[in-house]
Each structure stands twice: as structure tokens, then as C-alpha cells.
Amino acid sequence: MQLRGNWNYPTSVRFGAGRIAELADAVKSIGMANPLFVTDPLLAKLPMTQAAVQSLSAAGLSAKVFSDIKPNPIEPNVSAGVAAFKSGAHDGVVAFGGGSALDVGKLIAFLSGQTRPIWDFEDIGDWWTRANAASIAPIVAVPTTAGTGSEVGRAAVVTHEASHTKKIIFHPLMMPKVTICDPELTVGMPAIITAGTGMDAFSHCLEAYCGPFYHPLADGIAVEGMRLVKENLETAVKDGKNLEARAHMMSAAAMGATSFQKALGAIHSLSHPVGSLYDTHHGLTNGVFMPYVLVFNRQAIEERIERLAAYLGLKPKFRAFLDLVLRLREETGVPHTLAGLKVTDEKIDTIVDMAPKDPTAAGNRMPLDKRGAAPSSNARWMGGCEGALSPRLGSSRPSRDLTNGC
Ligand SMILES: NC(=O)c1ccc[n+]([C@@H]2O[C@H](COP(=O)([O-])OP(=O)(O)OC[C@H]3O[C@@H](n4cnc5c(N)ncnc54)[C@H](O)[C@@H]3O)[C@@H](O)[C@H]2O)c1
Ligand SMILES: [Fe+2]
């Protein structure tokens, strides 16, 4: 089967190897003539990125590059980008990269036409209606990782430095007008980033599927997204040039972000403070927390997980799915505890305090309060196991309790 297609859900997606060649056409198709090309500093140096920029100028589009973006982007990255957008009189954004560059690109397009500060548009209630929708610039998105799904999402994540908090900024028109999903662009992704971004896609599907709201459309997308990760992540990590595995992972990423319109949960609630306090990779951090959160939520999600396990070709048992998660992590090199991400234990109280306040906590089946988020004081959190949050207690391998007690 040729892994290629033109999709119109959730936005216009040109999917398939080599389709980056259509970038200039995609830009012109939405009336953009002078895009700001937003990427990160590492990607800006890669030949594939330079080729994409050149393809725009060859087509008569005067694209300038903005790349002052750090992983886990911060607000000054966005305001510097907005200044570049305005000084170059740009009329749209090409966002090219992983979630960090895509999110900043989307935020530049969004904020370039607003008078209010970025934090007024946090994803709270109807705050998005504060925006002047007519002034939001169009976006063409080109992912180079396969995880966040930001290329098909209406939100962007940015760190509020003063409070070390990852905030979600939302507006329906932050959805890119056109997305080019070209799996060839992910071939050079390092194995550990492939693993981490793959776990991000998996966690989006899993948390959406387990969320407490009625949304069968999202559920259907999420289960197939998880199947694609199960069948392809290990190959993508170990054989990065395998385009079939890369293509399926790219689809799974888009499916994760499409399904998490329903909900995210405690994996993200815990991962967000760790990412903003320690600058860990988002998807890898999710991967560390995943089995612990599964065990924590077990009584509320067991029946759903059994159905999911059956769909995935596993024994229809919670334990079979938990084993799959543990195996996936081990085979792709995702650490079992935060110690493996060089997170020390000095800020654990802060993390425990922040996690229940993260907006994603509301989408977790079991109430995530401070007691629930605590690593050692609460046996429920770990299902009687060692603490994921506590590197002092955490070993580098799953404990007997986690692997056998479930
Ligand atoms: N908007 C959303 O809905 C959403 C969802 C989940 C996560 N996020 C956010 O996205 C960010 C994480 O994004 P990410 O996981 O894609 O990582 P990233 O964008 O931070 O990239 C990680 C590293 O990989 C490099 N890289 C990217 N593509 C590459 C390639 N093809 N070849 C070689 N190197 C490459 C980057 O230069 C960077 O150094 C976090 O800030 C996270 O909070 C957003
Ligand atoms: Fe995520």
C-alpha cells in the first residue's frame, strides 16, 4: 500500500514521502506571498531545512528564517518572533520542526495581530474569544518529529518562566491551514528523540481514550493511533531509515493530537512541571510516567483498557496492556524513573504541588490531588510500588510490584 494521501481532517494534510517538494505550492494555495519561516537553531543548519527555504525563494516567495527557539520554548522566543514577523511585514508563517518550532510558529502567527498579552489567551474557559480572529495570520505546518501532533492542533505550549509553568495557549484558528506530513523529514531524528516523540503520540492517544468525557470519534482515532505506535515505534527507533515505520509514526502523531481534543490526563499533568523545571524532553518524560499513571488510574479505566488490549491483539487484560507499555519503553530506551532523565529530587514538593493545578489534570479519570501526585507518601500513586517521582527510591528497572502485582 502506498502511504500517501490528501486528507481534509482535521485540516488539509498532504501526506507522503517527498511531499516537502509541494511546500511553495502549499504556501501559495492559501494566498501567502511573504512567509516567515520558523524553525529551531539545530534544524536551521540541516540541509533538508535549507532546501525547504530555497524551494520557497525559487518559487518567488521571499522567506526569511527565524530560529531563536529553545526546546520547551519560552515566551521571549515568541515575542522575538512576533517582532521579526512585523519588521519583515510577513503575511503568514511556515512552521517547520518539532513541537517546539511548530508551537512558536503558530503563536507568532496568532499573536502578530493581537494587542493583548499572550497569557490572556490561556486555554481557560472562553478566553480564546478575547482574540481578534480576523488578524490571525495563516500557517503552513511541516513536522520533522512524529509526536506532538501540533501540526494538526489548535493549541501551543509555552513556558511561563517566572512561575516555571507550561501554559497551553488556544485558539481554533491556530490550526494550520495546510500541513505537509513528509516522513522523509524524520529520518535523521536521533533514536532517543524518536523514542520520546513516539511515547508522546502514544500518551496523547492513551489519555484521550481514557478521558472521562463522551467522545466516541476521538476514542476511535486514539485506539488506531496506539496500534500504529505498537507496530512501528521500535522499528522507527532501531532502523531510522525505515520509511514505512516513519510514515505510520507520523500518522500516529497526528491521530494523537486529533484525539486529545477530548482530554489529556495525569501523564501530562506530571510531565509538564518536570519539563518546565528541568527542561527534560516532553515525550520522554511522558514515557517515564506512563505505567505509573496507568496503575494509579486502574480502577477507573480497567474495562476500557481490556477492550483496547483486545483491539491491539493482546490478551484482553489490563496486565497485558501494562506489559506492552513496559516492553515498548524498554525496547526504545525510555528510562524507568526520572533519575534516568537526570531529574534530582530537590524539587519534588514543587512538582507534587504543580501537577494537580495543570489544566490536563481535569481530564484524568481518578482525581489527581496533591496526595495522588505524591511519590512516596501515597501507595495508590505507585500501586504499592517505588516512586516514579523519586529517583532516590526509583531503580532503573520496573519493580516487582509494578510488573507482577497487577
Ligand atoms: N501543541 C501541542 O499540542 C503539543 C503537544 C505535545 C507537546 N508539545 C510541546 O512540543 C515540544 C516538544 O516537541 P518535540 O517533542 O517535537 O521536540 P522538539 O521540537 O523540542 O525537538 C527536539 C529536538 O529534536 C531536534 N529535531 C527535530 N526534528 C529533527 C529531525 N528531523 N532531525 C534531527 N533533529 C531533529 C530539534 O532540533 C530539537 O533539538 C514541547 O515544548 C511540548 O510541550 C506541544
Ligand atoms: Fe504531549
Side-chain angles (χ1 to χ4, degrees), residues 363-389:
N364 197 62
R365 279 269 174 179
M366 296 290 288
L368 183 71
D369 52 16
K370 269 174 81 165
R371 238 184 101 225
S376 50
S377 61
N378 187 341
R380 277 190 316 143
W381 170 228
M382 294 306 140
C385 312
E386 70 210 15
L389 274 170

PDB file of all heavy atoms in Angstrom, residues 363-389:
ATOM      1  N   GLY A 363      -8.747  16.145  33.103  1.00  0.00           N
ATOM      2  CA  GLY A 363      -9.100  15.069  32.174  1.00  0.00           C
ATOM      3  C   GLY A 363      -8.664  13.694  32.649  1.00  0.00           C
ATOM      4  O   GLY A 363      -8.777  12.718  31.907  1.00  0.00           O
ATOM      5  N   ASN A 364      -8.163  13.618  33.883  1.00  0.00           N
ATOM      6  CA  ASN A 364      -7.734  12.321  34.392  1.00  0.00           C
ATOM      7  C   ASN A 364      -8.900  11.623  35.088  1.00  0.00           C
ATOM      8  O   ASN A 364      -9.652  12.249  35.817  1.00  0.00           O
ATOM      9  CB  ASN A 364      -6.573  12.497  35.389  1.00  0.00           C
ATOM     10  CG  ASN A 364      -5.842  11.192  35.612  1.00  0.00           C
ATOM     11  OD1 ASN A 364      -5.276  10.627  34.680  1.00  0.00           O
ATOM     12  ND2 ASN A 364      -5.873  10.689  36.832  1.00  0.00           N
ATOM     13  N   ARG A 365      -9.056  10.332  34.838  1.00  0.00           N
ATOM     14  CA  ARG A 365     -10.201   9.605  35.403  1.00  0.00           C
ATOM     15  C   ARG A 365     -10.234   9.636  36.925  1.00  0.00           C
ATOM     16  O   ARG A 365     -11.262   9.852  37.535  1.00  0.00           O
ATOM     17  CB  ARG A 365     -10.150   8.135  34.966  1.00  0.00           C
ATOM     18  CG  ARG A 365     -10.679   7.894  33.599  1.00  0.00           C
ATOM     19  CD  ARG A 365     -12.163   7.585  33.610  1.00  0.00           C
ATOM     20  NE  ARG A 365     -12.603   7.521  32.230  1.00  0.00           N
ATOM     21  CZ  ARG A 365     -13.836   7.259  31.843  1.00  0.00           C
ATOM     22  NH1 ARG A 365     -14.780   7.050  32.728  1.00  0.00           N
ATOM     23  NH2 ARG A 365     -14.139   7.228  30.581  1.00  0.00           N
ATOM     24  N   MET A 366      -9.074   9.368  37.553  1.00  0.00           N
ATOM     25  CA  MET A 366      -9.020   9.418  39.018  1.00  0.00           C
ATOM     26  C   MET A 366      -8.645  10.845  39.411  1.00  0.00           C
ATOM     27  O   MET A 366      -7.775  11.439  38.782  1.00  0.00           O
ATOM     28  CB  MET A 366      -7.942   8.468  39.548  1.00  0.00           C
ATOM     29  CG  MET A 366      -8.199   7.007  39.259  1.00  0.00           C
ATOM     30  SD  MET A 366      -9.566   6.336  40.203  1.00  0.00           S
ATOM     31  CE  MET A 366      -8.852   6.260  41.842  1.00  0.00           C
ATOM     32  N   PRO A 367      -9.301  11.387  40.431  1.00  0.00           N
ATOM     33  CA  PRO A 367      -8.944  12.751  40.833  1.00  0.00           C
ATOM     34  C   PRO A 367      -7.459  12.843  41.179  1.00  0.00           C
ATOM     35  O   PRO A 367      -6.951  12.015  41.935  1.00  0.00           O
ATOM     36  CB  PRO A 367      -9.807  12.988  42.082  1.00  0.00           C
ATOM     37  CG  PRO A 367     -10.803  11.894  42.111  1.00  0.00           C
ATOM     38  CD  PRO A 367     -10.300  10.762  41.283  1.00  0.00           C
ATOM     39  N   LEU A 368      -6.786  13.802  40.585  1.00  0.00           N
ATOM     40  CA  LEU A 368      -5.347  13.973  40.844  1.00  0.00           C
ATOM     41  C   LEU A 368      -5.180  15.143  41.805  1.00  0.00           C
ATOM     42  O   LEU A 368      -5.112  16.282  41.396  1.00  0.00           O
ATOM     43  CB  LEU A 368      -4.580  14.221  39.548  1.00  0.00           C
ATOM     44  CG  LEU A 368      -3.071  14.327  39.724  1.00  0.00           C
ATOM     45  CD1 LEU A 368      -2.461  12.972  40.050  1.00  0.00           C
ATOM     46  CD2 LEU A 368      -2.397  14.912  38.495  1.00  0.00           C
ATOM     47  N   ASP A 369      -5.142  14.822  43.103  1.00  0.00           N
ATOM     48  CA  ASP A 369      -4.861  15.865  44.071  1.00  0.00           C
ATOM     49  C   ASP A 369      -3.404  15.742  44.512  1.00  0.00           C
ATOM     50  O   ASP A 369      -2.663  14.905  43.992  1.00  0.00           O
ATOM     51  CB  ASP A 369      -5.822  15.768  45.272  1.00  0.00           C
ATOM     52  CG  ASP A 369      -5.834  14.366  45.865  1.00  0.00           C
ATOM     53  OD1 ASP A 369      -4.904  13.571  45.553  1.00  0.00           O
ATOM     54  OD2 ASP A 369      -6.764  14.041  46.617  1.00  0.00           O
ATOM     55  N   LYS A 370      -3.021  16.570  45.488  1.00  0.00           N
ATOM     56  CA  LYS A 370      -1.619  16.542  45.911  1.00  0.00           C
ATOM     57  C   LYS A 370      -1.244  15.178  46.475  1.00  0.00           C
ATOM     58  O   LYS A 370      -0.143  14.682  46.254  1.00  0.00           O
ATOM     59  CB  LYS A 370      -1.369  17.629  46.961  1.00  0.00           C
ATOM     60  CG  LYS A 370      -0.918  18.932  46.337  1.00  0.00           C
ATOM     61  CD  LYS A 370      -0.802  20.034  47.334  1.00  0.00           C
ATOM     62  CE  LYS A 370       0.494  19.979  48.109  1.00  0.00           C
ATOM     63  NZ  LYS A 370       0.739  21.248  48.814  1.00  0.00           N
ATOM     64  N   ARG A 371      -2.206  14.566  47.179  1.00  0.00           N
ATOM     65  CA  ARG A 371      -1.917  13.239  47.738  1.00  0.00           C
ATOM     66  C   ARG A 371      -1.674  12.241  46.612  1.00  0.00           C
ATOM     67  O   ARG A 371      -0.783  11.420  46.654  1.00  0.00           O
ATOM     68  CB  ARG A 371      -3.108  12.784  48.600  1.00  0.00           C
ATOM     69  CG  ARG A 371      -2.715  12.496  50.031  1.00  0.00           C
ATOM     70  CD  ARG A 371      -3.915  11.969  50.801  1.00  0.00           C
ATOM     71  NE  ARG A 371      -3.841  10.536  50.940  1.00  0.00           N
ATOM     72  CZ  ARG A 371      -4.847   9.713  50.743  1.00  0.00           C
ATOM     73  NH1 ARG A 371      -6.010  10.185  50.359  1.00  0.00           N
ATOM     74  NH2 ARG A 371      -4.701   8.429  50.920  1.00  0.00           N
ATOM     75  N   GLY A 372      -2.512  12.369  45.586  1.00  0.00           N
ATOM     76  CA  GLY A 372      -2.384  11.446  44.459  1.00  0.00           C
ATOM     77  C   GLY A 372      -1.069  11.620  43.724  1.00  0.00           C
ATOM     78  O   GLY A 372      -0.505  10.662  43.210  1.00  0.00           O
ATOM     79  N   ALA A 373      -0.587  12.856  43.667  1.00  0.00           N
ATOM     80  CA  ALA A 373       0.632  13.123  42.905  1.00  0.00           C
ATOM     81  C   ALA A 373       1.896  12.805  43.693  1.00  0.00           C
ATOM     82  O   ALA A 373       2.980  12.733  43.127  1.00  0.00           O
ATOM     83  CB  ALA A 373       0.651  14.591  42.481  1.00  0.00           C
ATOM     84  N   ALA A 374       1.772  12.617  45.002  1.00  0.00           N
ATOM     85  CA  ALA A 374       2.967  12.412  45.827  1.00  0.00           C
ATOM     86  C   ALA A 374       3.585  11.036  45.571  1.00  0.00           C
ATOM     87  O   ALA A 374       2.871  10.052  45.441  1.00  0.00           O
ATOM     88  CB  ALA A 374       2.606  12.554  47.291  1.00  0.00           C
ATOM     89  N   PRO A 375       4.895  10.963  45.498  1.00  0.00           N
ATOM     90  CA  PRO A 375       5.541   9.707  45.129  1.00  0.00           C
ATOM     91  C   PRO A 375       5.598   8.670  46.240  1.00  0.00           C
ATOM     92  O   PRO A 375       5.295   7.509  46.032  1.00  0.00           O
ATOM     93  CB  PRO A 375       6.953  10.138  44.748  1.00  0.00           C
ATOM     94  CG  PRO A 375       7.183  11.412  45.476  1.00  0.00           C
ATOM     95  CD  PRO A 375       5.849  12.060  45.613  1.00  0.00           C
ATOM     96  N   SER A 376       5.971   9.095  47.442  1.00  0.00           N
ATOM     97  CA  SER A 376       6.249   8.087  48.442  1.00  0.00           C
ATOM     98  C   SER A 376       5.182   8.004  49.513  1.00  0.00           C
ATOM     99  O   SER A 376       4.957   6.963  50.104  1.00  0.00           O
ATOM    100  CB  SER A 376       7.602   8.392  49.091  1.00  0.00           C
ATOM    101  OG  SER A 376       7.615   9.747  49.476  1.00  0.00           O
ATOM    102  N   SER A 377       4.470   9.131  49.732  1.00  0.00           N
ATOM    103  CA  SER A 377       3.531   9.125  50.842  1.00  0.00           C
ATOM    104  C   SER A 377       2.262   8.366  50.480  1.00  0.00           C
ATOM    105  O   SER A 377       1.476   8.030  51.329  1.00  0.00           O
ATOM    106  CB  SER A 377       3.178  10.561  51.224  1.00  0.00           C
ATOM    107  OG  SER A 377       2.566  11.197  50.124  1.00  0.00           O
ATOM    108  N   ASN A 378       2.063   8.137  49.222  1.00  0.00           N
ATOM    109  CA  ASN A 378       0.789   7.573  48.811  1.00  0.00           C
ATOM    110  C   ASN A 378       0.986   6.306  47.985  1.00  0.00           C
ATOM    111  O   ASN A 378       1.408   6.349  46.844  1.00  0.00           O
ATOM    112  CB  ASN A 378       0.035   8.620  47.985  1.00  0.00           C
ATOM    113  CG  ASN A 378      -1.367   8.159  47.676  1.00  0.00           C
ATOM    114  OD1 ASN A 378      -1.652   6.969  47.768  1.00  0.00           O
ATOM    115  ND2 ASN A 378      -2.217   9.066  47.326  1.00  0.00           N
ATOM    116  N   ALA A 379       0.617   5.177  48.592  1.00  0.00           N
ATOM    117  CA  ALA A 379       0.821   3.905  47.903  1.00  0.00           C
ATOM    118  C   ALA A 379      -0.034   3.815  46.642  1.00  0.00           C
ATOM    119  O   ALA A 379       0.343   3.171  45.673  1.00  0.00           O
ATOM    120  CB  ALA A 379       0.470   2.756  48.828  1.00  0.00           C
ATOM    121  N   ARG A 380      -1.201   4.515  46.629  1.00  0.00           N
ATOM    122  CA  ARG A 380      -2.080   4.422  45.455  1.00  0.00           C
ATOM    123  C   ARG A 380      -1.354   4.858  44.194  1.00  0.00           C
ATOM    124  O   ARG A 380      -1.498   4.260  43.139  1.00  0.00           O
ATOM    125  CB  ARG A 380      -3.279   5.358  45.637  1.00  0.00           C
ATOM    126  CG  ARG A 380      -4.397   4.811  46.434  1.00  0.00           C
ATOM    127  CD  ARG A 380      -5.598   5.715  46.327  1.00  0.00           C
ATOM    128  NE  ARG A 380      -5.245   7.115  46.456  1.00  0.00           N
ATOM    129  CZ  ARG A 380      -5.816   8.083  45.765  1.00  0.00           C
ATOM    130  NH1 ARG A 380      -6.729   7.806  44.888  1.00  0.00           N
ATOM    131  NH2 ARG A 380      -5.457   9.334  45.942  1.00  0.00           N
ATOM    132  N   TRP A 381      -0.631   5.955  44.335  1.00  0.00           N
ATOM    133  CA  TRP A 381       0.017   6.552  43.164  1.00  0.00           C
ATOM    134  C   TRP A 381       0.897   5.543  42.458  1.00  0.00           C
ATOM    135  O   TRP A 381       0.906   5.402  41.238  1.00  0.00           O
ATOM    136  CB  TRP A 381       0.790   7.781  43.617  1.00  0.00           C
ATOM    137  CG  TRP A 381       1.706   8.398  42.605  1.00  0.00           C
ATOM    138  CD1 TRP A 381       2.994   8.764  42.821  1.00  0.00           C
ATOM    139  CD2 TRP A 381       1.419   8.721  41.259  1.00  0.00           C
ATOM    140  NE1 TRP A 381       3.510   9.292  41.677  1.00  0.00           N
ATOM    141  CE2 TRP A 381       2.573   9.275  40.697  1.00  0.00           C
ATOM    142  CE3 TRP A 381       0.297   8.585  40.447  1.00  0.00           C
ATOM    143  CZ2 TRP A 381       2.643   9.704  39.384  1.00  0.00           C
ATOM    144  CZ3 TRP A 381       0.366   9.010  39.134  1.00  0.00           C
ATOM    145  CH2 TRP A 381       1.526   9.563  38.620  1.00  0.00           C
ATOM    146  N   MET A 382       1.641   4.806  43.261  1.00  0.00           N
ATOM    147  CA  MET A 382       2.550   3.835  42.665  1.00  0.00           C
ATOM    148  C   MET A 382       1.966   2.425  42.669  1.00  0.00           C
ATOM    149  O   MET A 382       2.657   1.485  42.347  1.00  0.00           O
ATOM    150  CB  MET A 382       3.876   3.818  43.437  1.00  0.00           C
ATOM    151  CG  MET A 382       4.627   5.100  43.295  1.00  0.00           C
ATOM    152  SD  MET A 382       4.835   5.457  41.567  1.00  0.00           S
ATOM    153  CE  MET A 382       4.572   7.200  41.587  1.00  0.00           C
ATOM    154  N   GLY A 383       0.710   2.316  43.074  1.00  0.00           N
ATOM    155  CA  GLY A 383       0.141   0.973  43.163  1.00  0.00           C
ATOM    156  C   GLY A 383       0.966   0.112  44.101  1.00  0.00           C
ATOM    157  O   GLY A 383       1.141  -1.075  43.889  1.00  0.00           O
ATOM    158  N   GLY A 384       1.500   0.742  45.138  1.00  0.00           N
ATOM    159  CA  GLY A 384       2.319  -0.012  46.090  1.00  0.00           C
ATOM    160  C   GLY A 384       3.744  -0.181  45.610  1.00  0.00           C
ATOM    161  O   GLY A 384       4.493  -0.992  46.128  1.00  0.00           O
ATOM    162  N   CYS A 385       4.120   0.582  44.587  1.00  0.00           N
ATOM    163  CA  CYS A 385       5.453   0.399  44.010  1.00  0.00           C
ATOM    164  C   CYS A 385       6.351   1.577  44.373  1.00  0.00           C
ATOM    165  O   CYS A 385       5.920   2.541  44.971  1.00  0.00           O
ATOM    166  CB  CYS A 385       5.354   0.317  42.489  1.00  0.00           C
ATOM    167  SG  CYS A 385       4.080  -0.801  41.951  1.00  0.00           S
ATOM    168  N   GLU A 386       7.565   1.498  43.928  1.00  0.00           N
ATOM    169  CA  GLU A 386       8.504   2.584  44.140  1.00  0.00           C
ATOM    170  C   GLU A 386       8.038   3.835  43.399  1.00  0.00           C
ATOM    171  O   GLU A 386       7.233   3.754  42.483  1.00  0.00           O
ATOM    172  CB  GLU A 386       9.874   2.192  43.596  1.00  0.00           C
ATOM    173  CG  GLU A 386       9.857   2.146  42.087  1.00  0.00           C
ATOM    174  CD  GLU A 386      10.820   1.138  41.520  1.00  0.00           C
ATOM    175  OE1 GLU A 386      11.301   0.291  42.256  1.00  0.00           O
ATOM    176  OE2 GLU A 386      11.061   1.207  40.311  1.00  0.00           O
ATOM    177  N   GLY A 387       8.557   4.989  43.790  1.00  0.00           N
ATOM    178  CA  GLY A 387       8.075   6.237  43.221  1.00  0.00           C
ATOM    179  C   GLY A 387       8.725   6.607  41.903  1.00  0.00           C
ATOM    180  O   GLY A 387       9.936   6.624  41.793  1.00  0.00           O
ATOM    181  N   ALA A 388       7.904   6.909  40.903  1.00  0.00           N
ATOM    182  CA  ALA A 388       8.461   7.428  39.647  1.00  0.00           C
ATOM    183  C   ALA A 388       9.067   8.786  39.876  1.00  0.00           C
ATOM    184  O   ALA A 388      10.027   9.188  39.242  1.00  0.00           O
ATOM    185  CB  ALA A 388       7.364   7.546  38.608  1.00  0.00           C
ATOM    186  N   LEU A 389       8.457   9.526  40.811  1.00  0.00           N
ATOM    187  CA  LEU A 389       8.936  10.870  41.061  1.00  0.00           C
ATOM    188  C   LEU A 389      10.197  10.894  41.897  1.00  0.00           C
ATOM    189  O   LEU A 389      10.843  11.907  42.003  1.00  0.00           O
ATOM    190  CB  LEU A 389       7.854  11.661  41.800  1.00  0.00           C
ATOM    191  CG  LEU A 389       6.824  12.328  40.934  1.00  0.00           C
ATOM    192  CD1 LEU A 389       5.702  12.866  41.783  1.00  0.00           C
ATOM    193  CD2 LEU A 389       7.460  13.464  40.166  1.00  0.00           C
TER     194      LEU A 389
END
